[in-house]
């Protein structure tokens, strides 16, 4: 069961962001969140390469080659937005001024550990990068990712098998199948099944740790 699309996942994340939050969007699916925040809502999007007030992707042929997000994709600037030095951007992150960071991940553990930068010692990524600062500096961390790998292995696990980006940092996970909170002392708590027609038992079978419910 494929569940919702990546754009659908991004839209679901955007729907849950409260008014007035400063939100950093990581590379990958998280960047799509910018396309689903209505212009009338005051959600201030931050990009670690130095943008505050980031808007959605530009219309075809109308982009500015110099205005890009951290994934080097062209973006727009909302009214009142600004761009600035990389060091100032990380000052915002490390200073605790970001209400929420949305990242992708390879794995999330039931205690909130996140692994999102390497899957082995031979990965091409030279270092953990800015995700470590974001996971430690943002007030909240949500992850958006597919529920399983392409070969069907769970990405929600009891313990991460890949190198950690940060321990105990994740509060919520959005996947193509479900929305799951990470609750201290309980682990994964199911909030919503997104895949139409999927049962709790079927979802549990694709999850590498126990799923709890509030009922």
């Amino acid at each position: 069961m494929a569940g919702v699309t990546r754009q659908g996942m991004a839209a679901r994340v955007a729907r849950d962001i409260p008014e007035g939050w400063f939100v950093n969007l990581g590379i990958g699916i998280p960047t799509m969140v910018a396309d689903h925040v209505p212009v009338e809502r005051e959600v201030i999007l931050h990009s670690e390469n130095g943008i505050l007030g980031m808007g959605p992707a530009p219309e075809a042929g109308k982009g500015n080659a110099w205005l890009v997000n951290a994934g080097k994709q062209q973006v727009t600037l909302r009214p009142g937005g600004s761009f600035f030095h990389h060091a100032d951007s990380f000052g915002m992150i490390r200073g605790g001024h970001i209400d929420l960071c949305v990242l992708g991940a390879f794995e999330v553990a039931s205690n909130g550990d996140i692994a999102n930068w390497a899957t082995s010692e031979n990965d091409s990524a030279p270092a953990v990068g800015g995700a470590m600062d974001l996971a430690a500096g943002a007030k909240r961390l949500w992850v958006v990712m597919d529920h399983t790998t392409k070969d069907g292995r769970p990405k929600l696990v009891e313990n991460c098998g890949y190198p950690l980006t940060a321990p105990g940092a994740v509060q919520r996970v959005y996947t193509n199948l479900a929305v799951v909170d990470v609750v201290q002392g309980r682990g994964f708590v199911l909030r919503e099944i997104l895949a139409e027609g999927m049962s709790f038992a079927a979802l549990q079978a694709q999850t590498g740790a126990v799923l709890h419910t509030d009922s």
Side-chain angles (χ1 to χ4, degrees):
M1 188 173 293
V4 299
T5 64
R6 292 190 165 196
Q7 288 289 352
M9 294 157 66
R12 183 64 182 78
V13 173
R15 195 177 85 192
D16 282 352
I17 300 173
E19 194 88 8
W21 275 17
F22 290 85
V23 181
N24 176 279
L25 301 178
I27 296 171
I29 303 175
T31 60
M32 300 178 185
V33 173
D35 298 332
H36 298 279
V37 177
V39 67
E40 65 273 12
R41 291 190 62 208
E42 189 181 27
V43 173
I44 303 95
L45 299 180
H46 171 271
S47 183
E48 69 182 74
N49 58 316
I51 304 174
L52 194 63
M54 183 172 62
E59 296 179 26
K62 294 186 178 181
N64 180 341
W66 294 100
L67 186 57
V68 296
N69 61 24
K72 300 181 178 62
Q73 299 165 314
Q74 289 186 2
V75 294
T76 54
L77 202 64
R78 287 196 169 191
S82 61
F83 43 91
F84 35 81
H85 195 278
H86 205 205
D88 294 322
S89 182
F90 272 81
M92 295 176 188
I93 296 167
R94 294 171 180 171
H97 303 293
I98 303 300
D99 293 297
L100 169 67
C101 176
V102 184
L103 292 176
F106 296 129
E107 290 178 330
V108 174
S110 60
N111 66 349
D113 292 352
I114 177 174
N116 84 334
W117 71 281
T119 58
S120 74
E121 294 180 358
N122 299 320
D123 270 12
S124 58
V128 65
M132 177 178 63
D133 295 88
L134 288 160
K139 295 175 184 176
R140 302 164 189 85
L141 177 60
W142 294 352
V143 167
V144 55
M145 64 180 187
D146 288 327
H147 205 88
T148 63
T149 63
K150 292 180 180 179
D151 58 2
R153 290 183 294 108
K155 298 176 74 173
L156 289 168
V157 295
E158 191 62 40
N159 297 289
C160 290
Y162 296 144
L164 291 188
T165 304
V170 179
Q171 286 85 38
R172 180 172 291 176
V173 183
Y174 295 80
T175 77
N176 57 319
L177 302 182
V179 180
V180 177
D181 280 347
V182 180
V183 178
Q184 188 174 7
R186 294 190 68 193
F188 292 131
V189 177
L190 177 65
R191 295 305 181 203
E192 181 182 351
I193 294 178
L194 300 180
E196 186 175 355
M198 172 166 270
S199 67
F200 178 82
L203 180 66
Q204 179 65 81
Q206 297 195 53
T207 306
V210 174
L211 281 173
H212 301 277
T213 64
D214 283 335
S215 58

